[in-house]
Amino acid sequence: MSSEIIAPQNKVYGRSPLLRNIPMHYCPGCSHGVVHKLLAEVLQDLGAQDKAVGVSPVGCAVLLYDYIDIDWAEAAHGRAPAVATGLKRSRPDMHVFTYQGDGDLAAIGTGEIIHACNRGENITVIFINNAIYGMTGGQMAPTTLEGMKTATTPYGRRADLHGYPFKVSEMIAQLPGTGYVTRQAVHTAATVRQTRKALKKCFEDAYAGKGTSFIEIVSTCNSGWKMTPSGANQWLVDNMLPFYPLGDLKNKEV
Ligand SMILES: Cc1ncc(C[n+]2csc(CCOP(=O)(O)OP(=O)(O)O)c2C)c(N)n1
């Protein structure tokens, strides 16, 4: 099909000019690459190449700053919301965002994310929930499902021993400082399109001063989960989405 007859909002391939042409370091099937591409497209749509600063995490996405041609800061594990707070307060004219995994945001960085959202910092938070510590070898994360096998829960997560899986977005939506809180995924063309729309709204709302925008993207880590890419997508549908249902959790119009 020729690209001319595909409406721009339906395009799920092609390369944004903001996406630098470097080799991809992610495992085949990893959700991070898809989200990086969407992020580049949304920043391009917003004309934000010279008006955006991202704060990249520690985790598999640590090299995010290499992929997208905007300004970046790199934060210590879990500290991205604190760094983003400083950036946004000193440059309110910029789109400021963090990009964090579940180990980064929901374990070591729990304090930072709760307080940044409770203060209502006008930033966008992109939260990649793959239910595992991908970079360090697949250990249990706060969002690991009950029964899910990881490197540190080889017989499956047990709530009585390891605690309950943490629904981060539900908690974040309770905080008065958040404006838009949504949970999306990128395992199908339809969910990729929906995530692109939600991501754009996140940036627009935070820029308009509506408080913190928070987008959780329910993701796969097929290497850490020890599955094929398509097997991981199916596992996400069968196990992750019933516990982490997709959709908007809060949409505060200010
Ligand atoms: C202060 C600190 N503690 C621990 C680590 C080790 N560490 C690096 S990445 C990581 C987990 C990453 O998992 P997640 O944030 O879920 O991202 P993913 O790799 O799955 O995308 C940990 C614990 C570190 N680099 N710094």
Side-chain angles (χ1 to χ4, degrees), residues 32 58-61 77 101-104 108 130 132-136:
H32 278 304
V58 172
C60 284
H77 202 34
D102 41 275
D104 186 290
I108 196 169
N130 59 16
I132 209 165
Y133 284 19
M135 184 194 219
T136 43

Side-chain angles (χ1 to χ4, degrees), residues 169-170 173 179-185 194-202 205 213-216 244-253:
S169 294
E170 278 76 354
Y180 181 48
V181 181
T182 187
R183 186 185 281 123
Q184 303 292 336
Q194 190 55 39
T195 298
R196 192 184 198 282
K197 252 168 68 183
L199 192 56
K200 190 167 179 205
K201 176 173 166 58
C202 281
D205 282 15
S213 291
F214 189 96
I215 180 168
E216 172 178 349
Y244 298 116
L246 304 184
D248 290 350
L249 289 96
K250 182 178 189 181
N251 187 1
K252 186 168 85 178
E253 292 303 333

Side-chain angles (χ1 to χ4, degrees), residues 4 10 12-13 16 19 40 47 55 65 67-68 70 116 124 147 152 158 173 183 188 214 229 232 254:
E4 288 75 47
N10 289 335
V12 292
Y13 57 87
S16 157
L19 207 52
V55 184
Y65 49 70
Y67 289 102
I68 303 179
I70 56 167
T124 290
T152 45
R158 272 173 48 188
R183 186 185 281 123
T188 61
F214 189 96
V254 182

Side-chain angles (χ1 to χ4, degrees), residues 125-216:
V125 174
I126 303 166
F127 168 44
I128 307 297
N129 177 11
N130 59 16
I132 209 165
Y133 284 19
M135 184 194 219
T136 43
Q139 295 87 353
M140 188 190 93
T143 53
T144 299
L145 297 175
E146 279 186 71
M148 186 174 175
K149 291 186 176 147
T150 71
T152 45
T153 58
Y155 303 108
R157 181 179 191 163
R158 272 173 48 188
D160 61 335
L161 196 58
H162 310 113
Y164 294 92
F166 187 4
K167 294 193 178 191
V168 178
S169 294
E170 278 76 354
M171 179 198 62
I172 292 293
Q174 302 300 312
L175 302 173
T178 48
Y180 181 48
V181 181
T182 187
R183 186 185 281 123
Q184 303 292 336
V186 290
H187 61 297
T188 61
T191 51
V192 166
R193 280 199 293 273
Q194 190 55 39
T195 298
R196 192 184 198 282
K197 252 168 68 183
L199 192 56
K200 190 167 179 205
K201 176 173 166 58
C202 281
F203 278 98
E204 287 169 343
D205 282 15
Y207 198 74
K210 295 183 180 179
T212 311
S213 291
F214 189 96
I215 180 168
E216 172 178 349

